[in-house]
Amino acid sequence: MAKKITKIDPVKQQVTRQLQSKKRVCAYCRVSTDSREQQNSFSAQLEYYKALIEAKEDWEFVGIYADEARSGTKLQKRDDFLRMMKDCEDDRIDMIITKSVTRFARNTVDSIQAIRRLKELGIAVFFEKENINSLSEKSEQMLTILSSLAQGESENISTNNKWAAVKRFQDGTFIIGTPAYGYTKDENGELIIQEEEAKIVQRIFREYLNGKGTYVIAKELSEEEIPTIRTAEKWQDTVIKEILQNPVYTGDLLQQKTLTTDVVPFKRKPNRGQLPQYMIENNHEPIITKVQAEAVKEIFDYRRKQMGMDDTGKYQNRYAFSSKIICGECGSIFRRQKIYIGKPYEKVQWSCHQHIEDITKCSQKAIREDVIQWTFTVMWNKLVSNYTEILIPLLDTLKKLRMDEQQEQEIVECNNKIMELTEQDHILSRLLSKGYIDPAVFIERQNALILELTATKKKRNQLLDNNGFEQEITGTELLLELIRNNPNIIEEYCEDLFLQVTDNIIIQKNGQITFWLINRLELSEPYRKEAIQDDAKAYAHGI
């Protein structure tokens, strides 16, 4: 008997055919960034695709999705593309028409992932130029090849653009797209001073040289509602640091401070010596003097060294507790050790360096890392629960004890003296190079200048270290901001929080741990006895 076979369509297809008579089709394109050209391009493509789709009786035009002609290598920066994908997910589109693979995406991975996701939804993408329907057989292999070619084209274009930029760096013809804060451009693309912003730049340099930190400067600018860079909500200390370290304000122009990766997706990163940089001296009118910039650099280097940071601004310590735990008996730094290595109860402990070297010179016992973490968590939760009784009155008191005008004037005088001595040294060097001064006299005078300069810098650094409770005030404000943003107690130790709020830890002989916070406030907490008992049990079990 012959077999009878009947095809049964999926339920979704049956319902779709009954309720939807036409295929919902949209178009995707990228248009010019120029406002007039964009309007013309969008209107022309809207008219073209609308006519193309409406000419099909079984098609329904559901709109056009158009992104400005920004990079096709990053889908996350193409708003309309992402909106189109969401509409596909929400079952509002059955088919997408686009001009070519290169207009759809130039990143092979993103392109294939998007097409595969649309395939899963049963949505076709039709590429006019290549005449490919993504739902057809063998389409993926062809699209992969074409997308790879498009990606290669993008990478070649990027390489050519970078080569052209470097060539302009070398011959000094590169025109900056967005000038630094404090400057604008004339009709020839040359940097000229923007007076209102320049006054803010001068204020930032002046206040930093007078002892204020970057956080305080940013906070005061925000409170005074000074307009920010590129309409940001408020001033950030990182922005202040960038301004203070940017040579553009001395009239010099440093080019190729950033670099772009060679392959898709292209990413911009700071140039930390991977590529050459190009310095154009006396390129434009300065806002501050080079002597001021040099003084700022010296303060930066000094403070970075005090905080244990490297040249990139990162902490050099490998572990959170490195160089932070101090012995309350002998003052030595604690070192990290592992105990019960290879055992299920393996632990990390910190031991006094002096105790390790000679037990007769220090009797301080080691302390387990999890005990310190647990104790910090308890201390922080107590501070969060009682900050209104501790930190707020402390901040009010500190502000009343802010440094007097005499101390502030001393810092200003030191900075002026350093600038004067530095300028004298430069003049001496120029006189020697022109033969106007005997080398022996030059050496004698330069040595005297160096001695006086060293003494003045030392005095200024001492004043900066004790500049009227500025560190205490800034640290207390940071602690209050952290607590207000995270008002709940924490159940587990948080390393990021520890690094933000703690300067040092003192392991006391009386069974307490004292935490020195960033505002120099000292809070003590007793060890957890159960941890010592656990240690004893683990040791007994090991035996």
Side-chain angles (χ1 to χ4, degrees):
M1 184 175 65
K3 295 180 180 179
K4 181 181 180 182
I5 300 173
T6 304
K7 179 184 178 183
I8 303 174
D9 288 330
V11 175
K12 183 179 178 180
Q13 286 188 13
Q14 292 176 5
V15 173
T16 301
R17 285 175 182 172
Q18 292 172 5
L19 300 179
Q20 182 181 313
S21 57
K22 291 187 177 183
K23 182 180 290 188
R24 298 163 299 178
V25 183
C26 74
Y28 175 75
C29 59
R30 283 190 287 130
V31 296
S32 171
T33 52
D34 181 83
S35 56
R36 182 175 296 177
E37 288 184 9
Q38 178 178 338
Q39 187 176 359
N40 295 337
S41 176
F42 182 81
S43 299
Q45 293 188 62
L46 176 63
E47 187 176 328
Y48 167 75
Y49 282 116
K50 188 175 181 181
L52 176 69
I53 293 169
E54 288 181 347
K56 303 278 188 179
E57 292 184 1
D58 56 342
W59 285 9
E60 177 187 352
F61 179 69
V62 293
I64 182 170
Y65 298 81
D67 284 307
E68 292 181 7
R70 57 183 69 182
S71 172
T73 62
K74 296 181 181 179
L75 295 184
Q76 66 268 27
K77 291 188 177 181
R78 294 159 63 187
D79 298 332
D80 251 28
F81 186 94
L82 297 176
R83 185 168 65 88
M84 178 182 71
M85 292 297 292
K86 186 177 185 303
D87 287 345
C88 290
E89 298 271 0
D90 295 339
D91 195 27
R92 296 175 183 171
I93 298 171
D94 299 314
M95 183 176 179
I96 300 167
I97 297 179
T98 189
K99 184 175 179 63
S100 68
V101 173
T102 58
R103 306 307 291 175
F104 192 72
R106 290 193 176 184
N107 181 324
T108 306
V109 175
D110 286 344
S111 178
I112 297 304
Q113 285 179 347
I115 291 169
R116 284 177 178 172
R117 179 57 187 148
L118 292 170
K119 270 188 175 182
E120 291 175 3
L121 297 171
I123 298 171
V125 182
F126 180 72
F127 301 93
E128 288 186 284
K129 183 179 178 180
E130 294 83 8
N131 194 28
I132 296 175
N133 187 318
S134 63
L135 293 184
S136 65
E137 294 182 10
K138 299 181 180 178
S139 64
E140 181 161 329
Q141 182 179 4
M142 182 60 69
L143 287 171
T144 302
I145 295 170
L146 293 171
S147 295
S148 298
L149 292 172
Q151 177 172 325
E153 181 185 350
S154 291
E155 291 170 359
N156 287 335
I157 292 171
S158 175
T159 300
N160 292 337
N161 288 338
K162 284 191 284 187
W163 180 87
V166 169
K167 186 70 173 63
R168 292 196 295 273
F169 289 153
Q170 291 172 343
D171 57 27
T173 59
F174 185 85
I175 297 176
I176 295 174
T178 305
Y181 183 83
Y183 287 99
T184 184
K185 294 190 297 185
D186 62 14
E187 62 275 7
N188 298 320
E190 298 294 333
L191 292 179
I192 56 174
I193 292 177
Q194 210 281 353
E195 294 297 338
E196 293 302 316
E197 292 181 355
K199 291 177 183 177
I200 303 302
V201 172
Q202 290 168 345
R203 170 182 168 178
I204 290 170
F205 275 84
R206 182 174 62 251
E207 292 185 346
Y208 188 79
L209 287 171
N210 289 344
K212 287 186 179 179
T214 55
Y215 173 81
V216 174
I217 295 172
K219 185 173 181 293
E220 290 178 355
L221 291 175
S222 296
E223 288 174 350
E224 295 174 28
E225 298 183 352
I226 303 295
T228 57
I229 298 175
R230 300 181 185 90
T231 65
E233 290 185 9
K234 63 178 184 178
W235 287 85
Q236 302 290 343
D237 64 327
T238 52
V239 174
I240 302 298
K241 288 177 183 176
E242 288 176 5
I243 289 175
L244 289 169
Q245 297 179 95
N246 195 338
V248 72
Y249 299 110
T250 64
D252 297 338
L253 189 62
L254 181 63
Q255 296 184 323
Q256 197 153 262
K257 292 189 292 185
T258 61
L259 57 89
T260 304
T261 54
D262 294 329
V263 296
V264 173
F266 302 120
K267 294 181 180 179
R268 187 168 290 278
K269 298 180 178 180
N271 181 5
R272 303 195 186 281
Q274 301 95 317
L275 295 175
Q277 294 181 324
Y278 302 88
M279 175 69 81
I280 305 175
E281 296 184 8
N282 304 319
N283 179 76
H284 51 273
E285 186 179 353
I287 293 176
I288 56 105
T289 67
K290 292 188 178 182
V291 178
Q292 285 176 306
E294 184 63 28
V296 165
K297 182 179 182 300
E298 288 173 359
I299 296 174
F300 256 107
D301 292 342
Y302 173 78
R303 288 180 170 172
R304 185 179 286 120
K305 184 178 179 181
Q306 292 296 103
M307 296 173 67
M309 300 170 73
D310 60 20
D311 293 336
T312 65
K314 295 182 179 179
Y315 290 96
Q316 295 173 318
N317 298 324
R318 183 178 177 185
Y319 303 102
F321 293 148
S322 296
S323 303
K324 285 184 176 288
I325 307 177
I326 302 171
C327 178
E329 180 178 345
C330 70
S332 295
I333 301 295
F334 273 45
R335 288 185 174 182
R336 188 176 186 270
Q337 295 178 322
K338 280 189 177 183
I339 54 175
Y340 316 129
I341 298 173
K343 306 292 184 182
Y345 40 86
E346 179 180 308
K347 299 289 183 183
V348 172
Q349 69 176 18
W350 291 81
S351 302
C352 172
H353 175 63
Q354 183 77 279
H355 178 83
I356 296 171
E357 295 293 326
D358 188 350
I359 193 171
T360 62
K361 292 183 179 179
C362 181
S363 61
Q364 184 75 271
K365 294 182 180 179
I367 183 168
R368 263 183 21 201
E369 187 174 81
D370 58 346
V371 174
I372 303 173
Q373 293 172 347
W374 181 88
T375 310
F376 169 79
T377 304
V378 172
M379 180 279 298
W380 177 256
N381 286 336
K382 287 183 179 180
L383 184 61
V384 169
S385 302
N386 301 280
Y387 79 92
T388 53
E389 291 79 24
I390 300 173
L391 296 180
I392 293 177
L394 174 63
L395 183 60
D396 292 338
T397 304
L398 288 169
K399 286 183 176 179
K400 291 176 183 177
L401 297 173
R402 188 186 291 270
M403 73 176 174
D404 55 25
E405 292 181 2
Q406 181 181 352
Q407 190 175 0
E408 188 171 359
Q409 183 60 33
E410 286 182 22
I411 294 175
V412 173
E413 289 172 358
C414 283
N415 281 317
N416 291 337
K417 188 68 175 177
I418 289 168
M419 293 181 204
E420 181 185 334
L421 292 170
T422 305
E423 184 62 26
Q424 289 179 24
D425 184 53
H426 291 165
I427 292 171
L428 269 178
S429 298
R430 288 198 292 270
L431 290 173
L432 179 68
S433 64
K434 293 182 179 180
Y436 296 154
I437 188 172
D438 186 82
V441 176
F442 167 78
I443 293 171
E444 182 183 351
R445 291 186 181 179
Q446 189 183 52
N447 287 340
L449 280 174
I450 290 172
L451 285 174
E452 191 175 358
L453 190 61
T454 303
T456 308
K457 288 180 180 179
K458 183 178 180 180
K459 181 181 177 181
R460 182 190 63 185
N461 291 338
Q462 289 173 345
L463 289 167
L464 286 169
D465 283 345
N466 303 281
N467 62 345
F469 306 100
E470 200 63 36
Q471 180 179 341
E472 290 87 342
I473 292 171
T474 303
T476 304
E477 289 176 335
L478 281 170
L479 286 173
L480 285 169
E481 185 176 355
L482 276 170
I483 292 172
R484 285 165 180 161
N485 290 336
N486 303 278
N488 300 323
I489 63 171
I490 56 175
E491 296 181 0
E492 296 180 353
Y493 166 77
C494 176
E495 183 172 288
D496 287 341
L497 181 64
F498 170 82
L499 290 171
Q500 288 183 75
V501 306
T502 311
D503 275 343
N504 291 111
I505 304 169
I506 310 297
I507 307 299
Q508 308 286 5
K509 285 290 291 181
N510 60 0
Q512 288 195 329
I513 300 178
T514 299
F515 296 92
W516 284 7
L517 305 186
I518 54 173
N519 64 343
R520 296 183 179 175
L521 178 65
E522 298 179 25
L523 295 177
S524 297
E525 198 66 32
Y527 295 10
R528 187 177 62 161
K529 293 181 180 179
E530 301 89 273
I532 300 171
Q533 293 170 354
D534 291 345
D535 243 353
K537 289 177 183 177
Y539 182 74
H541 180 73
I543 294 174

